[in-house]
Amino acid sequence: MKKDKYNVAVVGATGAVGEQMREVLEEREFPVGELRLLASERSAGQFLEFQGKQHRVEILTEDSFTDIDIGLFSAGSSVSAKFAPLAVAAGAVVVDNTGCFRMEPDVPLVVPEVNPQEIANYKNRGIVANPNCSTIQMVVALKPLHDAVRIKRVVVSTYQSVSGAGRKAMEELSQQVAALFNGRELKKEKFPHQIAFNCIPHIDVFTEGGYTKEELKMIDETRKILGEPSLPVTATTVRVPVFCSHSESVNVETVVKLSAAEARKILREAPGVIVADEPENNVYPLAIEATGKDATYVGRIRDDNSVANGLNLWIVADNLRKGAALNTVQIAEILIRDYL
Ligand code: A2P
């Protein structure tokens, strides 16, 4: 029998994504029975608000998942590796926002606007993986174009906000800006270089071929989500001194010619997309305008005249919402609607 309410655990509740999870669950009126907010011992004793009530943050332990129906995980890969299987063993379904399970063949990697049917495969392991933030917003925009004219190759460069690296990274940007204006010494902990007034072409660690793991995530996850295991994709991921929302310059080659006007029309009708593309009025997607919103914004749509069938796009979305908490909650909504 279907439940009216579901007990939800948020793992990493005190983090930048965890905060958005509470907001999105509340805004979308997810039928939450008990809400269990879990974090490390650093947060013990803290209270966080949900639906007008204060909830005590509990320390994550092996026993945290008793009576939990859905676990929303966003506390890093090592936490998911250890605790997601324990949550599943205790009877919960996990939606995992870390990189821990994304590329495991029996774990579905889902963006609800793109491949919601894959959620059925949660049964394999009791886990659905939420993709990397930069990947999510890109595939939301690419899927309708791929359906229309088959994408042949993707070249993406990202301009990723510091919130993608967590709450401490946001504080680091603020503190560096203040330090620079006040002639104080600059502290660098979350980023390998000064992020204030800088761009750092280095997100996650470097791998042997010269790509960072973030770049490989975009390549591998895009292929998995679109169901195109050999689609040529290349990526350069860059951290920029923006607090929230990721921007991406995306160049797409297609099998069949698609004009910019046709692409605009397709994207206007695409789920989860808002076209913001009136260059004559200085209208194009902006990180500061996407922040706090649910949509993926697409603009600067134009023909790439250097190839036969090419298009350029500028894609912006709130990385904490569509790139993380919102996508996770959308997956949970489909789970309870169709499967639990
Ligand atoms: P805490 O605040 O207690 O450190 P962000 O991505 O913004 O850095 O947030 C990371 C989230 O993951 C925080 O809620 C953090 O809790 C939580 N977290 C990190 N490590 C652990 C751990 N070992 N056990 C439980 N929660 C953790």
Side-chain angles (χ1 to χ4, degrees):
M1 206 179 69
K2 260 204 151 359
K3 296 187 181 183
D4 292 338
K5 298 211 164 178
Y6 295 82
N7 295 340
V8 177
V10 177
V11 180
T14 51
V17 173
E19 179 184 357
Q20 291 296 316
M21 282 189 181
R22 269 181 294 129
E23 268 193 45
V24 173
L25 286 167
E26 187 166 333
E27 267 173 35
R28 296 174 73 90
E29 299 180 355
F30 192 90
V32 177
E34 183 195 339
L35 183 70
R36 206 167 292 168
L37 301 176
L38 301 164
S40 79
E41 60 286 348
R42 291 179 290 272
S43 305
Q46 228 178 288
F47 282 83
L48 297 172
E49 194 176 313
F50 181 70
Q51 292 177 335
K53 288 197 202 115
Q54 295 295 318
H55 292 248
R56 181 192 282 275
V57 177
E58 296 175 28
I59 299 173
L60 175 65
T61 70
E62 297 183 358
D63 304 320
S64 292
F65 299 99
T66 310
D67 295 330
I68 290 296
D69 299 302
I70 298 173
L72 307 178
F73 277 62
S74 197
S77 272
S78 56
V79 172
S80 290
K82 178 170 175 196
F83 290 94
L86 293 173
V88 173
V93 177
V94 167
V95 188
D96 184 45
N97 188 45
T98 75
C100 187
F101 304 104
R102 286 178 190 149
M103 292 313 295
E104 298 204 4
D106 54 350
V107 174
L109 182 65
V110 176
V111 178
E113 291 84 349
V114 178
N115 61 344
Q117 73 287 352
E118 285 294 319
I119 294 177
N121 293 320
Y122 85 92
K123 290 189 179 114
N124 297 341
R125 301 268 296 272
I127 301 171
V128 181
N130 200 61
N132 173 263
C133 43
S134 316
T135 309
I136 292 177
Q137 65 184 71
M138 184 167 81
V139 295
V140 165
L142 293 191
K143 169 74 169 149
L145 304 178
H146 189 52
D147 285 346
V149 286
R150 313 307 298 169
I151 289 174
K152 207 160 69 177
R153 179 169 185 249
V154 179
V155 181
V156 53
S157 297
T158 69
Y159 304 67
Q160 296 182 222
S161 68
V162 294
S163 59
R167 200 182 279 291
K168 290 222 171 67
M170 299 169 81
E171 286 162 15
E172 187 158 310
L173 173 58
S174 297
Q175 284 164 1
Q176 287 186 357
V177 170
L180 284 165
F181 279 119
N182 292 294
R184 289 200 308 263
E185 199 196 332
L186 216 76
K187 286 208 192 94
K188 283 179 273 179
E189 276 162 23
K190 296 297 283 184
F191 301 109
H193 301 279
Q194 174 187 323
I195 184 64
F197 311 109
N198 201 7
C199 299
I200 307 175
H202 173 185
I203 303 181
D204 209 330
V205 296
F206 280 100
T207 65
E208 251 175 38
Y211 281 80
T212 62
K213 271 199 183 165
E214 184 81 354
E215 289 158 353
L216 296 182
K217 282 180 223 166
M218 288 198 78
I219 295 166
D220 295 337
E221 294 179 21
T222 298
R223 291 171 171 168
K224 180 169 175 177
I225 298 162
L226 292 178
E228 298 286 357
S230 51
L231 182 71
V233 180
T234 190
T236 303
T237 58
V238 182
R239 190 72 71 188
V240 296
V242 166
F243 281 103
C244 198
S245 293
H246 293 347
S247 304
E248 298 174 345
S249 162
V250 182
N251 178 264
V252 179
E253 269 186 76
T254 55
V255 174
V256 178
K257 172 77 188 158
L258 188 70
S259 70
E262 288 164 329
R264 232 172 261 128
K265 185 166 180 295
I266 290 168
L267 287 166
R268 273 198 195 101
E269 285 158 19
V273 172
I274 291 181
V275 172
D277 198 19
E278 295 166 43
E280 65 283 10
N281 296 319
N282 298 345
V283 171
Y284 27 73
L286 293 174
I288 55 170
E289 289 176 1
T291 297
K293 310 267 172 48
D294 289 347
T296 294
Y297 293 84
V298 187
R300 300 297 321 279
I301 302 166
R302 60 207 192 279
D303 294 317
D304 169 5
N305 297 320
S306 71
V307 288
N309 302 337
L311 275 176
N312 285 313
L313 312 163
W314 178 248
I315 303 172
V316 181
D318 184 328
N319 55 297
L320 298 178
R321 287 179 76 95
K322 185 57 192 161
L326 171 63
N327 201 75
T328 304
V329 173
Q330 285 177 297
I331 291 170
E333 286 171 350
I334 297 174
L335 276 168
I336 63 168
R337 189 192 67 200
D338 295 348
Y339 303 104
L340 299 186

